[in-house]
């Protein structure tokens, strides 16, 4: 599962804006689900933060509403590695 999540964001970033299916975007936004519990998977959340700029650039500002909650969740993550990864983008 981690390997799939590690490559999901970069894969989405290689697609055209109109060719990203909703279910694929749903899997990407679901990567942060573990952060809402104390037993979240830190690697998965870090993968999400690392690829967030590329995914947002690919999808454009029209999909900001779909990605906004992901962004705010990542910026408030308890792990400094996640916040640092996002802040360096």
């Amino acid at each position: 599962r981690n390997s799939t999540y590690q490559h999901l964001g970069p894969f989405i970033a290689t697609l055209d804006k109109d060719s990203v299916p909703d279910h694929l975007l749903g899997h990407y936004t679901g990567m942060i689900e573990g952060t809402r519990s104390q037993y979240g998977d830190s690697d998965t959340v870090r993968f999400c933060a690392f690829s967030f700029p590329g995914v947002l650039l690919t999808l454009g500002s029209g999909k900001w509403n779909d990605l906004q909650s992901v962004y705010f969740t990542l910026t408030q993550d308890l792990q400094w590695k996640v916040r640092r990864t996002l802040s360096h983008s």
Side-chain angles (χ1 to χ4, degrees), residues 3 7-9 18-19 22 26-27 34 38 49 55 58 61 64 74:
S3 181
H7 298 288
L8 180 60
D18 299 325
S19 63
D22 289 337
H27 286 296
Q38 64 186 27
V55 171
T58 298
S61 61
W64 173 246
L74 292 172

Side-chain angles (χ1 to χ4, degrees), residues 25 28-29 52 56 59 63-71:
L25 181 58
Y28 177 78
T29 58
F52 186 84
L56 181 60
L59 297 176
K63 290 285 189 173
W64 173 246
N65 288 336
D66 296 334
L67 295 172
Q68 185 176 14
S69 65
V70 174
Y71 176 78

Side-chain angles (χ1 to χ4, degrees), residues 36-61:
R36 295 194 177 110
S37 72
Q38 64 186 27
Y39 305 109
D41 186 351
S42 64
D43 288 336
T44 302
V45 177
R46 199 175 40 157
F47 298 147
C48 185
F50 180 80
S51 60
F52 186 84
V55 171
L56 181 60
L57 184 64
T58 298
L59 297 176
S61 61

